[in-house]
Amino acid sequence: MDNLSDALKKLKLASADSTTDSVESCLDCLLKALAHNNADASEKFQEMGILPLLPTLLAPQSSCTPKVANIIAEVAKNEFMRSPCVEAGLIPPLVQLLHSKDHEVLLQTGRALGNICYDSHVIKLQLVEAGLVECLLDVVVHTVDGVREEDVAQLKTASDLMVLLLLGDESMQKLFEGGKGSVFQRVLSWVPSHNHQLQLAGALAIANFARNDGNCIHMVESGIVQKLLELLDRHVDEGNVTVQHAALSALRNLAIPVVNKAKMLSAGVSDTVLKFLPSEMPPVQFKLLGTLRMLIDTQADAADQLGTNGKLVERLVEWCEAKDHAGVMGESNRLLSALIRHSKSKDVVKTVIQGAGVKHLVVMATSEHMIMQNEALVALGLIAGLDLVGAEKDFVGAGLVQVLHKLLSDEMSAPEVKYNSMVIICAVMGSEPLHKEVQGLAFIDVVSKLRSHENKTVSHQASLTEQRLTAQS
């Protein structure tokens, strides 16, 4: 740290004297210090008042500029230094540097701005108001057709930074401008681009704009879904995983508002998404599952159609065992449950039984997440009600009755979980082997205690369940 203090003192003197050689030497020393111990070194910058000196060292023609921008990028890795970077007046000169033709300057400037605004909605908005977006769009226009390595890098830097700015709620809405914003329209034009980096950034930008219902509804009405479907169709064979993932993310977000679901289904979204079922890439699998789950929510016909698709159900059951990818495993379980819950169809239940999906729903009922427990239980209740004979063997094999006993005995189980567990108990009493298991575990003792439960729905169902158990004991 003593060496760092010396270097910072020398930088103060050198910057005052404008001696380039000594400034560059100090900058090299500071970069080494930041690489060695970023947290302590970056805070030392603030203590010694170095940050306000840096704007004067960001001259477009100076050979020091790339190193200074690199230093700012490293300092801004420290979350506590991001606001001080803004307060030191670093944003205006950094934004101006985006006009530079120097590859290294652009690269380091992009890193610096990205790190400064990384987790701050306020700073993202400040960058938008400082004119950063116009500079980024300008860089995109001048590099999109470039074939040089530096053109590709600059395009990536500019488009990535643009997407990052849209992660701020206020900055995103400012640029959306009710769907009429020129920036929003320009970003939309990236989706059909021939350039994969711009396709990716365009799809990610749509996903970011689609963070509230109003924006989603407007975008679906304006025909964005068709652009995304055309993009995905191009990548079924080309197979760019990042573009697939981004486009599916955008479709998933757009499908959240209820009014959009039927429109998107009519546009053929589910058919296009199903083309990616063979994908072996977990990020694509995860978004594919989430998109279908959002689409079928409250859409009985779509749930029926997808739920009787044997290939889809077969793939879901396969992914329910993807223990190396918890997200995929969780989403496939949730979609399997959703197909049953939203269709309430005996044909869907039959398809799930034939596809060996029942055991996974029983396991899902033991999830640590209450919402997943409940989704599984509602689906299991429908299976028991619609095709108990067909599911009987799977229920016994998966230990359904034991799982229900545990959920009802657990004081921490949510009221909804207790209620749905008792509904299933009543439903399975028509099966001889399951009936025997219920009797063997003394369910009446557990259920009778729930008659005094503070939740009236639970206590009422406990009374009904106790009567059923007593009558069939």
Side-chain angles (χ1 to χ4, degrees):
M1 269 309 174
D2 290 339
N3 289 340
L4 175 62
S5 299
D6 290 343
L8 289 168
K9 286 173 186 173
K10 286 177 184 175
L11 179 62
K12 270 189 170 182
L13 294 170
S15 59
D17 296 338
S18 300
T19 43
T20 303
D21 290 344
S22 55
V23 168
E24 290 216 34
S25 172
C26 293
L27 294 174
D28 287 334
C29 179
L30 296 177
L31 280 168
K32 285 179 186 174
L34 285 164
H36 176 67
N37 188 337
N38 186 290
D40 288 348
S42 57
E43 285 166 17
K44 195 82 171 172
F45 269 63
Q46 189 179 16
E47 284 174 27
M48 296 189 66
I50 299 300
L51 289 178
L53 296 178
L54 298 182
T56 61
L57 299 174
L58 286 171
Q61 306 304 320
S62 169
S63 60
C64 295
T65 298
K67 288 180 181 175
V68 177
N70 191 358
I71 284 172
I72 295 168
E74 291 299 313
V75 168
K77 280 183 180 177
N78 182 339
E79 61 180 312
F80 300 109
M81 294 302 295
R82 288 164 189 162
S83 291
C85 283
V86 176
E87 291 158 10
L90 291 173
I91 286 180
L94 283 170
V95 170
Q96 286 305 307
L97 286 176
L98 287 172
H99 292 292
S100 172
K101 304 298 179 191
D102 185 295
H103 163 61
E104 188 61 23
V105 169
L106 267 173
L107 209 58
Q108 297 302 343
T109 301
R111 282 186 63 236
L113 288 167
N115 288 350
I116 288 172
C117 75
Y118 183 73
D119 56 359
S120 169
H121 291 264
V122 173
I123 297 176
K124 286 183 179 77
L125 182 60
Q126 288 175 338
L127 286 172
V128 167
E129 291 174 340
L132 175 57
V133 172
E134 289 74 15
C135 293
L136 296 176
L137 292 172
D138 194 45
V139 172
V140 168
V141 168
H142 287 96
T143 57
V144 65
D145 295 317
V147 292
R148 298 176 306 161
E149 191 178 328
E150 51 264 45
D151 290 331
V152 175
Q154 287 170 16
L155 178 67
K156 184 177 187 324
T157 298
S159 55
D160 284 352
L161 194 47
M162 185 76 196
V163 171
L164 183 61
L165 290 176
L166 293 173
L167 285 170
D169 292 336
E170 297 87 354
S171 53
M172 179 270 287
Q173 282 301 92
K174 186 177 180 67
L175 295 173
F176 188 68
E177 290 184 71
K180 297 182 174 64
S182 60
V183 172
F184 171 64
Q185 297 299 333
R186 288 276 293 278
V187 168
L188 282 194
S189 72
W190 293 357
V191 177
S193 164
H194 63 279
N195 184 293
H196 283 185
Q197 175 60 34
L198 270 198
Q199 293 170 4
L200 171 64
L204 288 173
I206 291 172
N208 286 342
F209 280 123
R211 289 209 312 280
N212 67 51
D213 283 4
N215 290 6
C216 288
I217 292 165
H218 177 88
M219 285 193 280
V220 168
E221 286 174 351
S222 64
I224 280 174
V225 170
Q226 201 53 47
K227 290 180 189 287
L228 291 168
L229 294 184
E230 287 166 6
L231 177 61
L232 278 171
D233 273 331
R234 290 164 67 182
H235 284 278
V236 173
D237 296 322
E238 287 183 34
N240 186 303
V241 173
T242 54
V243 175
Q244 292 171 0
H245 180 263
L248 289 167
S249 296
L251 287 172
R252 180 199 174 281
N253 288 2
L254 289 169
I256 292 172
V258 174
V259 295
N260 282 356
K261 298 179 194 296
K263 292 177 183 176
M264 291 177 70
L265 286 162
S266 298
V269 173
S270 60
D271 294 336
T272 299
V273 170
L274 286 174
K275 292 176 185 177
F276 295 89
L277 265 186
S279 175
E280 294 300 332
M281 305 305 296
V284 174
Q285 296 167 352
F286 181 73
K287 288 298 178 184
L288 174 159
L289 292 163
T291 304
L292 291 177
R293 187 166 63 80
M294 285 300 159
L295 278 172
I296 66 165
D297 188 12
T298 71
Q299 305 298 306
D301 290 345
D304 199 337
Q305 187 180 354
L306 288 171
T308 50
N309 181 329
K311 286 186 178 177
L312 171 60
V313 172
E314 182 184 335
R315 196 69 162 131
L316 292 183
V317 170
E318 186 183 328
W319 286 338
C320 284
E321 296 170 357
K323 292 185 171 57
D324 292 339
H325 303 288
V328 172
M329 188 166 70
E331 275 294 334
S332 52
N333 274 296
R334 295 190 75 185
L335 180 54
L336 198 62
S337 160
L339 292 169
I340 295 168
R341 290 184 294 109
H342 295 301
S343 69
K344 298 180 175 61
S345 158
K346 188 167 185 175
D347 289 335
V348 172
V349 167
K350 186 177 179 181
T351 306
V352 172
I353 293 170
Q354 289 175 342
V358 173
K359 63 184 178 184
H360 295 294
L361 293 172
V362 176
V363 172
M364 182 183 170
T366 66
S367 168
E368 60 187 16
H369 304 292
M370 188 274 285
I371 191 166
M372 288 181 68
Q373 282 185 324
N374 214 42
E375 287 173 357
L377 291 168
V378 173
L380 289 166
L382 285 164
I383 293 171
L386 292 168
D387 194 357
L388 181 58
V389 173
E392 181 182 81
K393 187 177 176 183
D394 291 328
F395 281 163
V396 172
L400 172 66
V401 172
Q402 290 84 349
V403 167
L404 297 173
H405 188 271
K406 186 175 180 182
L407 290 173
L408 288 171
S409 304
D410 186 350
E411 290 182 6
M412 300 304 291
S413 292
E416 303 95 313
V417 168
K418 291 186 184 297
Y419 171 80
N420 285 313
S421 295
M422 288 187 284
V423 168
I424 299 172
I425 288 298
C426 292
V428 301
M429 293 297 281
S431 156
E432 188 179 340
L434 292 167
H435 187 174
K436 281 182 180 176
E437 288 188 10
V438 170
Q439 286 182 315
L441 284 172
F443 266 84
I444 289 184
D445 295 343
V446 179
V447 171
S448 63
K449 290 177 184 174
L450 293 174
R451 282 194 292 115
S452 57
H453 196 278
E454 60 186 2
N455 183 291
K456 286 189 168 59
T457 307
V458 172
S459 61
H460 179 64
Q461 184 59 41
S463 296
L464 295 175
T465 306
E466 186 179 28
Q467 289 169 22
R468 183 75 185 270
L469 291 170
T470 304
Q472 294 190 250
S473 61

mmCIF file of all heavy atoms in Angstrom, residues 184-185 187-193 199 202-203 206 219-220 222-235 243 247 250-251 254 267 272:
data_model
loop_
_atom_site.group_PDB
_atom_site.id
_atom_site.type_symbol
_atom_site.label_atom_id
_atom_site.label_comp_id
_atom_site.label_asym_id
_atom_site.label_seq_id
_atom_site.Cartn_x
_atom_site.Cartn_y
_atom_site.Cartn_z
ATOM 1 N N PHE A 184 -36.114 3.183 -29.097
ATOM 2 C CA PHE A 184 -36.828 1.909 -29.085
ATOM 3 C C PHE A 184 -36.978 1.369 -30.510
ATOM 4 O O PHE A 184 -36.726 0.195 -30.780
ATOM 5 C CB PHE A 184 -38.201 2.104 -28.431
ATOM 6 C CG PHE A 184 -39.123 0.928 -28.547
ATOM 7 C CD1 PHE A 184 -38.812 -0.283 -27.946
ATOM 8 C CD2 PHE A 184 -40.306 1.020 -29.269
ATOM 9 C CE1 PHE A 184 -39.666 -1.384 -28.049
ATOM 10 C CE2 PHE A 184 -41.164 -0.064 -29.384
ATOM 11 C CZ PHE A 184 -40.838 -1.267 -28.772
ATOM 12 N N GLN A 185 -37.360 2.237 -31.435
ATOM 13 C CA GLN A 185 -37.553 1.808 -32.830
ATOM 14 C C GLN A 185 -36.231 1.360 -33.457
ATOM 15 O O GLN A 185 -36.194 0.368 -34.197
ATOM 16 C CB GLN A 185 -38.163 2.958 -33.653
ATOM 17 C CG GLN A 185 -39.542 3.394 -33.198
ATOM 18 C CD GLN A 185 -40.583 2.293 -33.297
ATOM 19 O OE1 GLN A 185 -40.468 1.387 -34.121
ATOM 20 N NE2 GLN A 185 -41.597 2.340 -32.435
ATOM 21 N N VAL A 187 -33.646 0.085 -31.885
ATOM 22 C CA VAL A 187 -33.272 -1.201 -31.287
ATOM 23 C C VAL A 187 -34.080 -2.344 -31.913
ATOM 24 O O VAL A 187 -33.562 -3.435 -32.147
ATOM 25 C CB VAL A 187 -33.464 -1.156 -29.756
ATOM 26 C CG1 VAL A 187 -33.360 -2.541 -29.162
ATOM 27 C CG2 VAL A 187 -32.424 -0.240 -29.115
ATOM 28 N N LEU A 188 -35.349 -2.078 -32.204
ATOM 29 C CA LEU A 188 -36.188 -3.094 -32.854
ATOM 30 C C LEU A 188 -35.618 -3.497 -34.209
ATOM 31 O O LEU A 188 -35.715 -4.661 -34.623
ATOM 32 C CB LEU A 188 -37.607 -2.551 -33.083
ATOM 33 C CG LEU A 188 -38.564 -2.508 -31.913
ATOM 34 C CD1 LEU A 188 -39.972 -2.265 -32.417
ATOM 35 C CD2 LEU A 188 -38.534 -3.800 -31.123
ATOM 36 N N SER A 189 -35.023 -2.532 -34.898
ATOM 37 C CA SER A 189 -34.475 -2.819 -36.232
ATOM 38 C C SER A 189 -33.257 -3.731 -36.163
ATOM 39 O O SER A 189 -32.814 -4.261 -37.181
ATOM 40 C CB SER A 189 -34.110 -1.516 -36.947
ATOM 41 O OG SER A 189 -32.949 -0.938 -36.349
ATOM 42 N N TRP A 190 -32.723 -3.927 -34.957
ATOM 43 C CA TRP A 190 -31.568 -4.832 -34.812
ATOM 44 C C TRP A 190 -31.992 -6.293 -34.936
ATOM 45 O O TRP A 190 -31.193 -7.137 -35.339
ATOM 46 C CB TRP A 190 -30.916 -4.631 -33.441
ATOM 47 C CG TRP A 190 -30.256 -3.301 -33.241
ATOM 48 C CD1 TRP A 190 -30.126 -2.298 -34.156
ATOM 49 C CD2 TRP A 190 -29.650 -2.815 -32.037
ATOM 50 N NE1 TRP A 190 -29.484 -1.220 -33.601
ATOM 51 C CE2 TRP A 190 -29.175 -1.514 -32.303
ATOM 52 C CE3 TRP A 190 -29.473 -3.354 -30.777
ATOM 53 C CZ2 TRP A 190 -28.519 -0.755 -31.330
ATOM 54 C CZ3 TRP A 190 -28.820 -2.596 -29.805
ATOM 55 C CH2 TRP A 190 -28.345 -1.312 -30.085
ATOM 56 N N VAL A 191 -33.237 -6.600 -34.575
ATOM 57 C CA VAL A 191 -33.670 -8.013 -34.529
ATOM 58 C C VAL A 191 -33.544 -8.707 -35.888
ATOM 59 O O VAL A 191 -33.018 -9.818 -35.970
ATOM 60 C CB VAL A 191 -35.103 -8.133 -33.956
ATOM 61 C CG1 VAL A 191 -35.576 -9.575 -33.990
ATOM 62 C CG2 VAL A 191 -35.135 -7.596 -32.527
ATOM 63 N N PRO A 192 -34.018 -8.109 -36.987
ATOM 64 C CA PRO A 192 -33.867 -8.786 -38.280
ATOM 65 C C PRO A 192 -32.491 -8.587 -38.926
ATOM 66 O O PRO A 192 -32.279 -9.007 -40.068
ATOM 67 C CB PRO A 192 -34.964 -8.140 -39.139
ATOM 68 C CG PRO A 192 -35.270 -6.845 -38.511
ATOM 69 C CD PRO A 192 -34.878 -6.913 -37.076
ATOM 70 N N SER A 193 -31.554 -7.977 -38.203
ATOM 71 C CA SER A 193 -30.212 -7.736 -38.753
ATOM 72 C C SER A 193 -29.533 -9.036 -39.181
ATOM 73 O O SER A 193 -29.864 -10.125 -38.701
ATOM 74 C CB SER A 193 -29.364 -7.041 -37.676
ATOM 75 O OG SER A 193 -27.999 -7.117 -37.984
ATOM 76 N N GLN A 199 -28.563 -9.020 -33.433
ATOM 77 C CA GLN A 199 -29.765 -9.838 -33.174
ATOM 78 C C GLN A 199 -29.891 -10.121 -31.677
ATOM 79 O O GLN A 199 -30.970 -10.003 -31.094
ATOM 80 C CB GLN A 199 -29.676 -11.170 -33.928
ATOM 81 C CG GLN A 199 -29.736 -11.063 -35.442
ATOM 82 C CD GLN A 199 -29.395 -12.379 -36.109
ATOM 83 O OE1 GLN A 199 -29.186 -13.398 -35.434
ATOM 84 N NE2 GLN A 199 -29.325 -12.384 -37.427
ATOM 85 N N GLY A 202 -30.732 -6.921 -29.793
ATOM 86 C CA GLY A 202 -32.119 -6.538 -30.057
ATOM 87 C C GLY A 202 -33.100 -7.375 -29.262
ATOM 88 O O GLY A 202 -34.050 -6.853 -28.670
ATOM 89 N N ALA A 203 -32.870 -8.692 -29.230
ATOM 90 C CA ALA A 203 -33.766 -9.587 -28.479
ATOM 91 C C ALA A 203 -33.676 -9.320 -26.983
ATOM 92 O O ALA A 203 -34.696 -9.298 -26.275
ATOM 93 C CB ALA A 203 -33.425 -11.039 -28.791
ATOM 94 N N ILE A 206 -35.566 -6.134 -26.169
ATOM 95 C CA ILE A 206 -37.021 -6.360 -26.104
ATOM 96 C C ILE A 206 -37.386 -7.010 -24.772
ATOM 97 O O ILE A 206 -38.365 -6.634 -24.127
ATOM 98 C CB ILE A 206 -37.490 -7.234 -27.284
ATOM 99 C CG1 ILE A 206 -37.362 -6.456 -28.591
ATOM 100 C CG2 ILE A 206 -38.939 -7.687 -27.082
ATOM 101 C CD1 ILE A 206 -37.608 -7.276 -29.836
ATOM 102 N N MET A 219 -46.184 -3.837 -27.258
ATOM 103 C CA MET A 219 -45.253 -4.490 -28.183
ATOM 104 C C MET A 219 -45.902 -5.634 -28.947
ATOM 105 O O MET A 219 -45.656 -5.821 -30.134
ATOM 106 C CB MET A 219 -44.006 -4.966 -27.426
ATOM 107 C CG MET A 219 -43.067 -3.831 -27.055
ATOM 108 S SD MET A 219 -41.433 -4.394 -26.511
ATOM 109 C CE MET A 219 -41.777 -4.846 -24.833
ATOM 110 N N VAL A 220 -46.751 -6.394 -28.268
ATOM 111 C CA VAL A 220 -47.445 -7.484 -28.971
ATOM 112 C C VAL A 220 -48.384 -6.913 -30.029
ATOM 113 O O VAL A 220 -48.459 -7.417 -31.156
ATOM 114 C CB VAL A 220 -48.198 -8.388 -27.968
ATOM 115 C CG1 VAL A 220 -49.145 -9.339 -28.692
ATOM 116 C CG2 VAL A 220 -47.200 -9.187 -27.132
ATOM 117 N N SER A 222 -47.969 -4.258 -31.646
ATOM 118 C CA SER A 222 -47.200 -3.639 -32.744
ATOM 119 C C SER A 222 -46.435 -4.661 -33.598
ATOM 120 O O SER A 222 -45.681 -4.282 -34.491
ATOM 121 C CB SER A 222 -46.230 -2.591 -32.180
ATOM 122 O OG SER A 222 -45.261 -3.208 -31.355
ATOM 123 N N GLY A 223 -46.631 -5.950 -33.333
ATOM 124 C CA GLY A 223 -46.067 -6.962 -34.226
ATOM 125 C C GLY A 223 -44.674 -7.462 -33.918
ATOM 126 O O GLY A 223 -44.028 -8.086 -34.772
ATOM 127 N N ILE A 224 -44.207 -7.217 -32.706
ATOM 128 C CA ILE A 224 -42.850 -7.644 -32.352
ATOM 129 C C ILE A 224 -42.719 -9.167 -32.307
ATOM 130 O O ILE A 224 -41.659 -9.721 -32.610
ATOM 131 C CB ILE A 224 -42.448 -7.009 -31.004
ATOM 132 C CG1 ILE A 224 -42.008 -5.579 -31.256
ATOM 133 C CG2 ILE A 224 -41.328 -7.786 -30.320
ATOM 134 C CD1 ILE A 224 -41.720 -4.793 -30.037
ATOM 135 N N VAL A 225 -43.803 -9.843 -31.931
ATOM 136 C CA VAL A 225 -43.752 -11.308 -31.811
ATOM 137 C C VAL A 225 -43.310 -11.944 -33.122
ATOM 138 O O VAL A 225 -42.484 -12.865 -33.138
ATOM 139 C CB VAL A 225 -45.127 -11.862 -31.367
ATOM 140 C CG1 VAL A 225 -45.162 -13.379 -31.487
ATOM 141 C CG2 VAL A 225 -45.415 -11.449 -29.927
ATOM 142 N N GLN A 226 -43.844 -11.442 -34.236
ATOM 143 C CA GLN A 226 -43.493 -12.022 -35.540
ATOM 144 C C GLN A 226 -42.003 -11.863 -35.835
ATOM 145 O O GLN A 226 -41.361 -12.775 -36.369
ATOM 146 C CB GLN A 226 -44.322 -11.348 -36.639
ATOM 147 C CG GLN A 226 -44.431 -12.170 -37.920
ATOM 148 C CD GLN A 226 -44.934 -13.586 -37.679
ATOM 149 O OE1 GLN A 226 -45.912 -13.794 -36.972
ATOM 150 N NE2 GLN A 226 -44.247 -14.581 -38.237
ATOM 151 N N LYS A 227 -41.433 -10.713 -35.457
ATOM 152 C CA LYS A 227 -39.990 -10.495 -35.662
ATOM 153 C C LYS A 227 -39.173 -11.520 -34.866
ATOM 154 O O LYS A 227 -38.173 -12.050 -35.349
ATOM 155 C CB LYS A 227 -39.586 -9.076 -35.213
ATOM 156 C CG LYS A 227 -40.094 -7.950 -36.080
ATOM 157 C CD LYS A 227 -39.623 -6.616 -35.505
ATOM 158 C CE LYS A 227 -40.269 -5.420 -36.192
ATOM 159 N NZ LYS A 227 -39.769 -5.181 -37.539
ATOM 160 N N LEU A 228 -39.607 -11.781 -33.636
ATOM 161 C CA LEU A 228 -38.882 -12.736 -32.785
ATOM 162 C C LEU A 228 -39.021 -14.161 -33.313
ATOM 163 O O LEU A 228 -38.063 -14.946 -33.273
ATOM 164 C CB LEU A 228 -39.401 -12.650 -31.345
ATOM 165 C CG LEU A 228 -39.059 -11.357 -30.598
ATOM 166 C CD1 LEU A 228 -39.870 -11.256 -29.307
ATOM 167 C CD2 LEU A 228 -37.566 -11.279 -30.285
ATOM 168 N N LEU A 229 -40.206 -14.501 -33.819
ATOM 169 C CA LEU A 229 -40.408 -15.843 -34.370
ATOM 170 C C LEU A 229 -39.559 -16.053 -35.621
ATOM 171 O O LEU A 229 -38.969 -17.120 -35.819
ATOM 172 C CB LEU A 229 -41.890 -16.070 -34.700
ATOM 173 C CG LEU A 229 -42.859 -16.091 -33.513
ATOM 174 C CD1 LEU A 229 -44.272 -16.416 -33.979
ATOM 175 C CD2 LEU A 229 -42.417 -17.086 -32.442
ATOM 176 N N GLU A 230 -39.482 -15.023 -36.451
ATOM 177 C CA GLU A 230 -38.633 -15.116 -37.651
ATOM 178 C C GLU A 230 -37.169 -15.271 -37.253
ATOM 179 O O GLU A 230 -36.416 -16.026 -37.876
ATOM 180 C CB GLU A 230 -38.838 -13.876 -38.526
ATOM 181 C CG GLU A 230 -40.188 -13.868 -39.246
ATOM 182 C CD GLU A 230 -40.534 -12.510 -39.835
ATOM 183 O OE1 GLU A 230 -39.688 -11.589 -39.792
ATOM 184 O OE2 GLU A 230 -41.683 -12.361 -40.335
ATOM 185 N N LEU A 231 -36.777 -14.551 -36.206
ATOM 186 C CA LEU A 231 -35.391 -14.667 -35.717
ATOM 187 C C LEU A 231 -35.118 -16.082 -35.211
ATOM 188 O O LEU A 231 -34.084 -16.683 -35.538
ATOM 189 C CB LEU A 231 -35.160 -13.645 -34.594
ATOM 190 C CG LEU A 231 -33.778 -13.682 -33.916
ATOM 191 C CD1 LEU A 231 -32.667 -13.400 -34.928
ATOM 192 C CD2 LEU A 231 -33.716 -12.675 -32.772
ATOM 193 N N LEU A 232 -36.048 -16.625 -34.432
ATOM 194 C CA LEU A 232 -35.861 -17.986 -33.915
ATOM 195 C C LEU A 232 -35.818 -19.013 -35.048
ATOM 196 O O LEU A 232 -35.021 -19.953 -35.012
ATOM 197 C CB LEU A 232 -36.987 -18.335 -32.936
ATOM 198 C CG LEU A 232 -36.815 -17.819 -31.506
ATOM 199 C CD1 LEU A 232 -38.080 -18.040 -30.699
ATOM 200 C CD2 LEU A 232 -35.627 -18.490 -30.811
ATOM 201 N N ASP A 233 -36.662 -18.822 -36.041
ATOM 202 C CA ASP A 233 -36.663 -19.744 -37.181
ATOM 203 C C ASP A 233 -35.304 -19.764 -37.879
ATOM 204 O O ASP A 233 -34.838 -20.810 -38.319
ATOM 205 C CB ASP A 233 -37.760 -19.361 -38.186
ATOM 206 C CG ASP A 233 -39.106 -19.996 -37.845
ATOM 207 O OD1 ASP A 233 -39.100 -21.092 -37.233
ATOM 208 O OD2 ASP A 233 -40.152 -19.402 -38.156
ATOM 209 N N ARG A 234 -34.672 -18.603 -37.933
ATOM 210 C CA ARG A 234 -33.342 -18.534 -38.555
ATOM 211 C C ARG A 234 -32.306 -19.295 -37.742
ATOM 212 O O ARG A 234 -31.291 -19.728 -38.270
ATOM 213 C CB ARG A 234 -32.906 -17.062 -38.696
ATOM 214 C CG ARG A 234 -33.693 -16.294 -39.730
ATOM 215 C CD ARG A 234 -33.522 -14.792 -39.576
ATOM 216 N NE ARG A 234 -32.174 -14.345 -39.872
ATOM 217 C CZ ARG A 234 -31.783 -13.079 -39.772
ATOM 218 N NH1 ARG A 234 -32.653 -12.149 -39.383
ATOM 219 N NH2 ARG A 234 -30.547 -12.740 -40.050
ATOM 220 N N HIS A 235 -32.577 -19.430 -36.445
ATOM 221 C CA HIS A 235 -31.564 -20.041 -35.564
ATOM 222 C C HIS A 235 -31.890 -21.474 -35.158
ATOM 223 O O HIS A 235 -31.216 -22.026 -34.303
ATOM 224 C CB HIS A 235 -31.333 -19.148 -34.347
ATOM 225 C CG HIS A 235 -30.502 -17.950 -34.687
ATOM 226 N ND1 HIS A 235 -29.137 -18.001 -34.766
ATOM 227 C CD2 HIS A 235 -30.873 -16.690 -35.030
ATOM 228 C CE1 HIS A 235 -28.678 -16.803 -35.117
ATOM 229 N NE2 HIS A 235 -29.708 -15.997 -35.295
ATOM 230 N N VAL A 243 -28.476 -16.244 -29.059
ATOM 231 C CA VAL A 243 -29.615 -15.612 -29.725
ATOM 232 C C VAL A 243 -30.905 -16.371 -29.401
ATOM 233 O O VAL A 243 -31.943 -15.772 -29.112
ATOM 234 C CB VAL A 243 -29.397 -15.531 -31.250
ATOM 235 C CG1 VAL A 243 -30.643 -14.977 -31.950
ATOM 236 C CG2 VAL A 243 -28.189 -14.650 -31.580
ATOM 237 N N ALA A 247 -34.034 -14.541 -27.514
ATOM 238 C CA ALA A 247 -35.351 -14.438 -28.159
ATOM 239 C C ALA A 247 -36.426 -15.142 -27.324
ATOM 240 O O ALA A 247 -37.555 -14.648 -27.186
ATOM 241 C CB ALA A 247 -35.289 -15.033 -29.568
ATOM 242 N N ALA A 250 -37.333 -12.952 -24.401
ATOM 243 C CA ALA A 250 -38.238 -11.874 -24.796
ATOM 244 C C ALA A 250 -39.666 -12.397 -24.926
ATOM 245 O O ALA A 250 -40.621 -11.772 -24.440
ATOM 246 C CB ALA A 250 -37.770 -11.257 -26.117
ATOM 247 N N LEU A 251 -39.845 -13.557 -25.565
ATOM 248 C CA LEU A 251 -41.179 -14.134 -25.726
ATOM 249 C C LEU A 251 -41.804 -14.484 -24.377
ATOM 250 O O LEU A 251 -42.999 -14.270 -24.155
ATOM 251 C CB LEU A 251 -41.115 -15.375 -26.613
ATOM 252 C CG LEU A 251 -40.875 -15.125 -28.105
ATOM 253 C CD1 LEU A 251 -40.629 -16.433 -28.837
ATOM 254 C CD2 LEU A 251 -42.056 -14.383 -28.741
ATOM 255 N N LEU A 254 -43.022 -11.287 -22.777
ATOM 256 C CA LEU A 254 -44.187 -10.757 -23.489
ATOM 257 C C LEU A 254 -45.450 -11.563 -23.185
ATOM 258 O O LEU A 254 -46.562 -11.045 -23.277
ATOM 259 C CB LEU A 254 -43.922 -10.762 -24.999
ATOM 260 C CG LEU A 254 -42.896 -9.745 -25.511
ATOM 261 C CD1 LEU A 254 -42.536 -10.040 -26.969
ATOM 262 C CD2 LEU A 254 -43.403 -8.307 -25.373
ATOM 263 N N ALA A 267 -50.445 -16.530 -33.011
ATOM 264 C CA ALA A 267 -49.330 -16.182 -33.900
ATOM 265 C C ALA A 267 -48.377 -17.361 -34.124
ATOM 266 O O ALA A 267 -47.451 -17.267 -34.931
ATOM 267 C CB ALA A 267 -48.557 -14.998 -33.312
ATOM 268 N N THR A 272 -43.299 -22.600 -32.788
ATOM 269 C CA THR A 272 -41.893 -22.223 -33.003
ATOM 270 C C THR A 272 -41.032 -22.654 -31.828
ATOM 271 O O THR A 272 -39.934 -23.190 -32.005
ATOM 272 C CB THR A 272 -41.778 -20.699 -33.217
ATOM 273 O OG1 THR A 272 -42.534 -20.335 -34.371
ATOM 274 C CG2 THR A 272 -40.321 -20.278 -33.414
#
